C-alpha cells in the first residue's frame, strides 16, 4: 500500500507517485510533497551507491584524508538503529554511539556554551516583557499621561500606556520577525543573535533615559527589532547545533528560560521599587543585564555547521561539528547527513525566493496544514490571557487593593510560579504529548481566570479578597506553564519542513507577537470599560474558544520522526477534524465518562513508514 493509498481519492493532496528518478526512487513533485526525499536522502541507496556518493562528496569538498571516516559516518547515518550490527564500526565506535543514549548529557563544552547562550536569549526575552510591569505603576504619571480613574484624559492615556507596553510586539511582528530570514542568510545564526543583543541592550538603556512618552515609545519599538529575530533564531540555532537525542528538550526549554527571565524581571521590579522617583527608569532599564553577556558570549560559540554548509564553507562546517560532537565519527555522520539534506533542499528550492517560500506557507497543502496548526497554538498563547498578567499584574493587584509594594510582591510570586511549573513540561511534552497538554490545561485556565475575576466582587473590607485573587492568578499560571507555555515554540519549530523552517518560524513568532501587541494595547481600555471582572471573564471565554480550535485543528506530533510528520500533515484538515468529532470524542465519553472498555480506532497508519532517521525521534527537526 503506497502513502497515497492511505487517503481516499478526494484526499490525495500530499503525495505524487507518478515521477521517479533514474535510480527508481520516487521523484517528488514539490507542489504536493516537498518533504519525502528531503527527509530520506539516503533511503534506498545500496552500499556501493552510498560509498560512491561519499567519495564524490569528499572529492568535491576537500576531505580526501577523512574519506574512510565519512564512509563509516554515512553507513551509520543510513542505519542508525542497526549500528550494533554494522561490521564497518569497531568496538570503540560502537561505544561512542551507545553513549548517545546512556550518557545523553555528556556533551562538549562548546555545545554547553551554545545551550547557555540560547537560554540567555530566552531570559532576555522574558525580562524585556516584564520590565514595564512594575514601571506601569509610576511612569504614566512621571511622563504626563496619568490613566487612573478620574485623571484628565484618562481614556486617551489608557491607549497611550497600552501602545507603550505593546510597542516591542508591534515592531517585532511587523518588522523584526521578518528580518529573521535575510539576517540569517547574510550574517548567520551568531550574527543575528549579536544584532539582537545590540538592540536589546541599547534600547532598554534608552527606555530608562527617556524624558517624554514619545521617546519611551521609540525605544520600545527599537526593542522589538531585537526581540523578533531573537525569538525566531534562537530555537533554530539550538536545534541545528545540538544532537538530535537531546534536541526536543532544548527547543522546549526556550519557554522555560523565558519564564525564568520573567521571574528575574519581577524580582528586579521588587528590588528597585524602593528607589523613589527613578524606580520606573531602573525597572525598564534593568533588562540590559542579561543582554550584555548574550551579545559578548555568542561569539564564543561555534556557528551553526548547517549555515556554513549553505555558504559552501564545508571545512569551517566540519571544524564546527568537531567542536559540537564528542567524536569525529559523530561529526562525520551528522555532516554527511546534513549535506544530503541540503542537496535535496536546494533542488526543491531552485528558483524559489523568500517571498515565494512565504506564499508556499499557504499554498502547498502539507505546509499549509503546518501553518494553520502553528497559527492556532501561537494565537492561543495570547487568547489564554497570560500576558495580561505578565504585562499588567502589578496594576491588576493594585486595583485589587494592594499597596504598590504588595502588588510587586504578588507579581514576584506570579513570576516564580510561572517558572517553577514550566519544569514538568520537560518530562510530559514527549510523553503526555503536546496536544494532550493543551487540551488538559485550557479548561483549567478558563475556570481559574474566571474565579480570579469573580473574586473582585468580594467587598473591599474582606480579608479574603486579596489572597483569593492572588491564589487563582497563581493557579492560572501553574496550569499555563506546563501547557500553553512551552508547546507553541516547540510545536512550531518541528512542524515546518526544512525548506520552510526560517520563514515558517518567522510566521509563527510574528503571529504570537502580533496578538501580544493587541493584548498589550487593548487591556488598559478593556479593563476601564469592563472592569477587572469583565476583562478576566472575556479572556476566560477565549480560553474555551482556543480549546475547541486546538481540538479540531492541531494534530499530535509527540515522538514522531520527520517522515511520520509528513504523513500526519498529509491528512486533510477536514478529515482530522471529522475524526476528532465522530471517532475520538465518542470514544473519550464512553471511556472516561461511562468507564466502558472500548478501543480507539487510530487516524494514522504508520505501518509502512520506514524511519531512516530514527535518531531524530521526538526532535522535530
Amino acid at each position: 500500500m503506497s502513502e497515497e493509498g492511505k487517503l481516499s481519492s478526494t484526499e490525495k493532496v500530499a503525495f505524487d507517485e507518478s515521477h521517479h528518478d533514474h535510480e527508481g526512487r520516487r521523484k517528488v513533485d514539490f507542489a504536493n510533497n516537498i518533504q519525502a526525499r528531503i527527509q530520506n536522502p539516503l533511503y534506498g541507496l545500496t552500499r556501493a551507491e552510498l560509498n560512491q556518493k561519499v567519495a564524490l562528496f569528499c572529492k568535491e569538498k576537500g576531505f580526501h584524508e577523512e574519506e574512510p571516516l565519512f564512509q563509516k559516518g554515512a553507513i551509520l547515518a543510513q542505519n542508525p538503529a542497526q549500528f550494533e550490527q554494522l561490521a564497518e564500526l569497531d568496538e570503540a565506535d560502537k561505544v561512542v554511539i551507545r553513549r548517545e543514549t546512556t550518557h545523553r548529557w555528556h556533551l562538549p563544552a562548546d555545545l554547553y556554551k551554545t545551550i547557555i547562550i540560547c537560554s540567555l536569549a530566552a531570559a532576555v526575552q522574558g525580562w524585556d516583557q516584564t520590565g514595564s510591569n512594575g514601571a506601569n505603576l509610576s511612569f504614566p504619571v512621571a511622563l504626563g499621561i496619568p490613566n487612573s480613574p478620574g485623571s484628565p484624559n484618562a481614556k486617551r492615556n489608557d491607549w497611550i500606556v497600552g501602545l507603550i507596553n505593546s510597542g516591542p510586539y508591534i515592531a517585532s511582528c511587523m518588522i523584526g520577525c521578518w528580518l529573521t530570514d535575510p539576517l540569517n542568510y547574510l550574517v548567520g545564526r551568531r550574527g543575528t543573535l549579536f544584532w539582537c543583543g545590540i538592540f536589546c541592550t541599547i534600547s532598554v538603556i534608552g527606555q530608562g533615559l527617556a524624558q517624554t512618552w514619545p521617546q519611551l515609545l521609540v525605544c520600545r519599538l527599537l526593542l522589538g527589532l531585537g526581540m523578533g529575530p531573537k525569538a525566531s533564531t534562537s530555537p533554530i540555532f539550538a536545534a541545528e547545533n545540538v544532537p538530535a537525542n537531546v534536541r526536543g528538550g532544548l527547543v522546549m526549554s526556550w519557554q522555560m528560560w523565558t519564564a525564568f527571565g520573567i521571574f528575574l524581571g519581577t524580582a528586579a521590579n521588587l528590588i528597585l521599587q524602593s528607589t523613589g522617583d527613578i524606580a520606573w527608569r531602573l525597572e525598564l532599564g534593568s533588562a540590559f543585564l542579561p543582554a550584555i553577556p548574550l551579545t559578548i558570549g555568542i561569539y564564543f560559540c561555534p556557528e551553526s555547521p548547517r549555515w556554513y554548509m549553505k555558504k559552501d564553507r564545508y571545512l569551517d562546517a566540519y571544524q564546527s561539528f568537531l567542536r559540537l560532537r564528542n567524536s569525529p565519527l559523530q561529526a562525520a555522520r551528522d555532516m554527511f547527513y546534513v549535506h544530503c539534506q541540503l542537496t535535496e533542499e536546494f533542488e526543491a528550492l531552485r528558483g524559489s525566493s523568500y517571498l515565494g517560500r512565504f506564499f508556499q506557507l499557504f499554498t502547498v497543502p502539507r505546509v499549509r496544514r503546518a501553518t494553520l496548526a502553528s497559527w492556532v497554538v501561537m494565537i492561543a498563547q495570547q487568547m489564554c490571557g497570560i500576558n495580561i498578567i505578565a504585562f499588567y499584574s502589578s496594576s491588576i493587584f493594585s486595583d485589587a487593593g494592594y499597596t504598590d509594594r504588595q502588588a510587586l510582591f504578588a507579581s514576584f510570586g506570579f513570576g516564580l510560579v510561572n517558572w517553577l511549573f514550566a519544569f514538568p513540561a520537560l518530562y510530559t511534552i514527549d510523553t503526555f504529548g503536546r496536544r494532550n497538554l493543551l487540551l488538559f490545561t485550557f479548561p483549567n485556565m478558563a475556570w481559574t481566570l474566571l474565579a480570579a475575576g469573580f473574586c473582585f466582587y468580594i467587598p473591599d473590607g474582606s480579608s479574603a479578597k486579596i489572597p483569593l485573587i492572588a491564589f487563582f492568578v497563581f493557579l492560572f499560571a501553574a496550569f499555563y506553564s506546563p501547557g500553553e507555555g512551552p508547546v507553541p515554540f516547540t510545536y512550531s519549530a518541528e512542524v515546518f519542513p526544512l525548506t520552510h523552517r526560517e520563514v515558517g518560524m518567522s510566521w509563527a513568532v510574528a503571529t504570537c507577537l502580533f496578538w501580544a501587541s493587541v493584548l498589550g494595547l487593548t487591556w488598559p481600555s478593556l479593563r476601564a470599560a469592563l472592569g477587572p471582572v469583565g476583562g478576566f471573564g472575556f479572556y476566560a471565554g477565549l480560553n474555551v474558544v482556543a480549546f475547541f480550535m486546538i481540538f479540531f485543528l492541531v494534530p499530535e506530533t509527540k515522538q514522531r520522526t520527520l517522515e511520520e510528520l509528513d504523513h500526519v500533515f498529509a491528512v486533510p484538515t477536514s478529515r482530522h477534524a471529522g475524526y476528532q468529532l465522530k471517532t475520538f470524542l465518542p470514544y473519550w465519553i464512553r471511556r472516561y465518562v461511562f468507564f466502558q472498555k472500548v478501543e480507539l480506532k487510530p487516524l494514522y497508519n504508520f505501518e509502512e513508514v520506514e524511519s531512516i532517521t530514527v535518531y531524530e525521534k521526538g526532535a522535530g527537526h
Side-chain angles (χ1 to χ4, degrees):
M1 182 178 180
S2 69
E3 294 96 326
E4 195 177 30
K6 294 172 186 173
L7 303 179
S8 69
S9 59
T10 59
E11 295 166 332
K12 297 187 302 181
V13 292
F15 297 94
D16 177 12
E17 297 279 341
S18 61
H19 298 89
H20 296 75
D21 63 17
H22 67 280
E23 295 172 331
R25 294 190 302 274
R26 186 173 67 227
K27 183 177 180 181
V28 177
D29 179 352
F30 180 57
N32 291 321
N33 182 12
I34 62 174
Q35 274 294 80
R37 287 187 63 208
I38 290 174
Q39 300 297 359
N40 285 283
L42 306 180
Y43 177 69
L45 293 177
T46 65
R47 188 59 54 86
E49 290 171 336
L50 184 63
N51 290 338
Q52 184 180 6
K53 195 177 184 76
V54 173
L56 181 61
F57 163 79
C58 291
K59 180 180 179 181
E60 290 180 346
K61 306 304 180 183
F63 293 110
H64 302 286
E65 296 181 2
E66 290 84 7
E67 184 173 334
L69 179 64
F70 277 99
Q71 294 283 5
K72 288 200 293 187
I75 293 169
L76 179 59
Q78 188 184 44
N79 304 278
Q82 290 81 39
F83 74 91
E84 295 281 7
Q85 288 77 47
L86 296 177
E88 291 82 359
L89 304 185
D90 58 31
E91 184 57 29
D93 294 331
K94 293 177 182 178
V95 168
V96 169
I97 304 306
R98 287 189 202 111
R99 287 176 64 86
E100 289 183 330
T101 302
T102 60
H103 297 73
R104 288 199 311 155
W105 294 99
H106 182 261
L107 304 171
D110 283 319
L111 189 50
Y112 274 112
K113 290 178 188 176
T114 299
I115 295 170
I116 291 170
I117 287 298
C118 290
S119 300
L120 266 177
V124 171
Q125 198 86 354
W127 200 328
D128 282 338
Q129 74 182 51
T130 200
S132 62
N133 191 323
N136 281 325
L137 295 172
S138 53
F139 89 76
V141 174
L143 296 182
I145 48 173
N147 64 333
S148 57
S151 300
N153 301 314
K155 185 174 292 188
R156 165 185 169 272
N157 293 342
D158 269 336
W159 284 102
I160 294 175
V161 171
L163 182 63
I164 290 171
N165 275 278
S166 63
Y169 306 97
I170 294 173
S172 291
C173 67
M174 297 299 181
I175 302 174
C177 290
W178 304 108
L179 292 175
T180 301
D181 194 291
L183 278 174
N184 275 271
Y185 177 79
L186 293 172
V187 297
R189 315 308 191 205
R190 293 191 309 171
T192 300
L193 290 177
F194 180 79
W195 155 288
C196 296
I198 292 293
F199 273 85
C200 289
T201 300
I202 295 176
S203 60
V204 295
I205 294 174
Q207 289 178 151
L209 299 175
Q211 300 299 310
T212 64
W213 72 259
Q215 291 176 3
L216 179 57
L217 175 60
V218 169
C219 290
R220 298 280 288 171
L221 291 170
L222 290 175
L223 176 59
L225 298 184
M227 289 176 64
K230 174 158 56 66
S232 301
T233 300
S234 183
I236 293 173
F237 184 55
E240 291 183 345
N241 279 17
V242 302
N245 59 335
V246 295
R247 190 178 298 153
L250 289 177
V251 175
M252 194 237 79
S253 69
W254 168 263
Q255 175 59 29
M256 185 178 72
W257 292 107
T258 299
F260 181 65
I262 292 174
F263 165 67
L264 291 178
T266 58
N269 291 342
L270 180 60
I271 293 168
L272 297 170
Q273 188 268 339
S274 59
T275 55
D277 292 341
I278 64 169
W280 68 270
R281 296 184 181 277
L282 297 177
E283 288 166 348
L284 286 171
S286 63
F288 85 93
L289 291 173
I292 288 179
L294 166 66
T295 308
I296 297 173
I298 186 61
Y299 277 99
F300 291 94
C301 299
E303 177 57 273
S304 164
R306 192 176 189 278
W307 183 80
Y308 278 136
M309 293 166 75
K310 277 188 172 182
K311 296 294 184 180
D312 202 26
R313 294 168 58 179
Y314 273 73
L315 295 178
D316 290 330
Y318 185 54
Q319 292 304 313
S320 187
F321 263 126
L322 288 174
R323 293 175 63 185
L324 293 166
R325 298 295 182 265
N326 285 316
S327 73
L329 174 62
Q330 292 165 308
R333 175 199 63 188
D334 292 351
M335 183 170 182
F336 183 73
Y337 187 79
V338 171
H339 165 75
C340 294
Q341 288 178 317
L342 285 173
T343 300
E344 298 291 337
E345 181 178 330
F346 290 150
E347 181 181 338
L349 285 178
R350 188 174 295 141
S352 176
S353 64
Y354 176 46
L355 190 61
R357 294 197 301 279
F358 174 77
F359 282 111
Q360 286 163 0
L361 293 178
F362 310 98
T363 56
V364 177
R366 180 262 182 265
V367 188
R368 184 175 65 237
R369 297 184 191 104
T371 302
L372 175 62
S374 70
W375 178 83
V376 169
V377 296
M378 282 297 193
I379 194 175
Q381 191 172 75
Q382 305 308 321
M383 292 172 69
C384 76
I386 187 64
N387 281 332
I388 65 175
I389 313 296
F391 298 168
Y392 293 106
S393 63
S394 298
S395 301
I396 289 170
F397 288 126
S398 180
D399 288 346
Y402 280 61
T403 65
D404 284 358
R405 187 160 185 81
Q406 289 172 331
L408 290 171
F409 261 113
S411 294
F412 172 78
F414 160 77
L416 182 61
V417 170
N418 186 41
W419 178 48
L420 291 178
F421 278 85
F423 281 93
L426 286 172
Y427 305 97
T428 57
I429 197 164
D430 278 328
T431 54
F432 192 52
R434 288 87 157 123
R435 174 183 163 87
N436 288 336
L437 279 172
L438 298 180
L439 294 178
F440 170 73
T441 55
F442 264 94
N444 287 295
M445 286 191 289
W447 75 261
T448 51
L449 204 58
L450 194 62
F454 282 150
C455 286
F456 279 89
Y457 281 133
I458 299 174
D460 289 340
S462 173
S463 60
K465 178 178 181 178
I466 294 176
L468 280 175
I469 292 174
F471 170 75
F472 284 115
V473 168
F474 292 171
L475 197 57
F476 167 78
F479 282 118
Y480 165 84
S481 291
E484 184 58 19
V487 167
F489 278 86
T490 304
Y491 193 90
S492 298
E494 67 189 359
V495 297
F496 288 104
L498 292 173
T499 49
H500 292 70
R501 180 183 295 169
E502 287 92 343
V503 70
M505 276 298 289
S506 296
W507 155 262
V509 175
T511 296
C512 181
L513 298 184
F514 171 77
W515 290 103
S517 71
V518 171
L519 184 149
L521 179 64
T522 58
W523 174 252
S525 298
L526 184 68
R527 185 185 61 184
L530 302 179
V533 180
F536 276 42
F538 174 75
Y539 279 99
L542 289 183
N543 273 277
V544 177
V545 174
F547 171 84
F548 285 106
M549 291 170 62
I550 291 162
F551 183 79
F552 288 111
L553 300 176
V554 176
E556 180 59 81
T557 60
K558 71 164 182 173
Q559 296 186 356
R560 294 297 181 198
T561 63
L562 297 173
E563 302 83 38
E564 291 169 344
L565 285 182
D566 277 332
H567 285 244
V568 168
F569 288 100
V571 175
T573 303
S574 58
R575 180 172 178 175
H576 176 270
Y579 171 85
Q580 304 304 327
L581 180 63
K582 299 174 183 178
T583 304
F584 178 80
L585 184 59
Y587 158 81
W588 191 90
I589 293 173
R590 293 176 63 189
R591 176 69 178 82
Y592 295 102
V593 177
F594 297 109
F595 301 104
Q596 298 176 2
K597 291 184 178 180
V598 291
E599 291 188 7
L600 177 64
K601 179 182 177 182
L603 172 60
Y604 309 114
N605 178 5
F606 293 108
E607 291 178 2
E608 296 187 5
V609 179
E610 285 197 64
S611 291
I612 302 304
T613 54
V614 172
Y615 60 87
E616 295 271 0
K617 178 71 80 171
H621 282 272

